[in-house]
Amino acid sequence: MQVAILGTGTVGQHLAKGFIGLGHQVIVGTRDPHGESGRKALAAIGPGARAASFAEAARAGDFAVLSTAWEGTEAAVRLAGAAHLAGKLLIDATNPLDFTRVGGELALGYTTSRAEQIQGWLPQAKVVKAFNIVTATHMVNPQLAGGPPTMFIAGNDAQAKQQVLDILAKFGWDLIDIGALDGARVLEPLAMLWIRYARQNNHWTHAFKLLGLKSA
């Protein structure tokens, strides 16, 4: 399959390498496919990826991953185009983190979420929230003391969520589906908890694990 990675930062780079490791082809969406950020992303990802405009990547991808910074998310979505993402899975790995505020804060939350905003901009896409509660370097095959950490997901489309659960299982995660996309209202603040612990302890390689799970 072809995976559209919308964004050239470290999150997109690590996920791109993970998808290539699963045998997929990766198309990195960027404003300027020939620009410096695109070249740096391709160099970091290695063989198996190419750069394209946001629109071309979204059109060509069988599914897409949104991995932009907060301030660039809406523009990337608009450039990708609702028509190109209609009917497709869109994994939202973003967080609405505003680092213009002291220490960084959530720019919105509790009554809505960034994921719900994205779904509103792309009403025919199948948005699933995932990957937003851990550092980029541990998104694929996390090797941590205590065993596999837990990744929570949320989304409105059952088939799309199953596709994401299958991906996460291959990436080495324990999995919990917390329900509809409004669950992103608690998942995005969970990222802020991850960040606060990291800053207080100067420790950036942790993850969450839910214990005492109900047996199937």
Side-chain angles (χ1 to χ4, degrees):
M1 299 182 77
Q2 294 198 92
V3 184
I5 302 290
L6 305 180
T8 58
T10 56
V11 169
Q13 292 169 20
H14 283 280
L15 289 176
K17 287 188 281 189
F19 284 115
I20 291 169
L22 296 180
H24 300 302
Q25 296 178 322
V26 165
I27 310 163
V28 178
T30 179
R31 287 179 179 270
D32 180 5
H34 305 292
E36 182 179 5
S37 64
R39 291 196 302 271
K40 286 183 176 179
L42 292 182
I45 295 166
R50 65 181 178 91
S53 68
F54 282 115
E56 182 185 349
R59 178 191 58 77
D62 294 298
F63 65 92
V65 180
L66 188 59
S67 60
T68 52
W70 172 75
E71 62 272 13
T73 299
E74 183 174 3
V77 167
R78 303 295 187 192
L79 289 169
H84 294 142
L85 294 168
K88 297 180 181 180
L89 164 65
L90 176 66
I91 301 173
D92 171 27
T94 70
N95 281 305
L97 301 176
D98 183 0
F99 289 106
T100 65
R101 307 180 190 187
V102 176
E105 296 178 12
L106 288 172
L108 74 164
Y110 306 110
T111 58
T112 189
S113 64
R114 175 57 92 189
E116 290 170 281
Q117 285 188 333
I118 293 165
Q119 185 68 84
W121 298 330
L122 302 168
Q124 293 181 292
K126 301 173 182 179
V127 178
V128 177
K129 191 78 184 184
F131 291 111
N132 72 301
I133 58 169
V134 72
T135 188
T137 55
H138 285 329
M139 289 182 175
V140 178
N141 299 321
Q143 302 295 317
L144 298 171
T150 304
M151 180 60 69
F152 303 92
I153 74 164
N156 295 333
D157 186 276
Q159 185 176 8
K161 287 198 289 184
Q162 187 57 56
Q163 188 176 353
V164 176
L165 290 171
D166 291 344
I167 291 167
L168 286 165
K170 292 175 182 175
F171 282 173
W173 286 91
D174 281 345
L175 312 169
I176 294 186
D177 177 355
I178 64 168
L181 194 60
D182 62 0
R185 299 178 192 183
V186 293
L187 291 186
E188 292 172 359
L190 192 57
M192 200 69 240
L193 175 61
W194 189 98
I195 291 169
R196 177 164 292 194
Y197 175 87
R199 285 179 169 162
Q200 287 184 339
N201 295 278
N202 192 28
H203 185 277
W204 303 87
T205 57
H206 54 287
F208 297 109
K209 187 173 183 68
L210 190 62
L211 303 176
L213 299 180
K214 180 181 178 180
S215 59

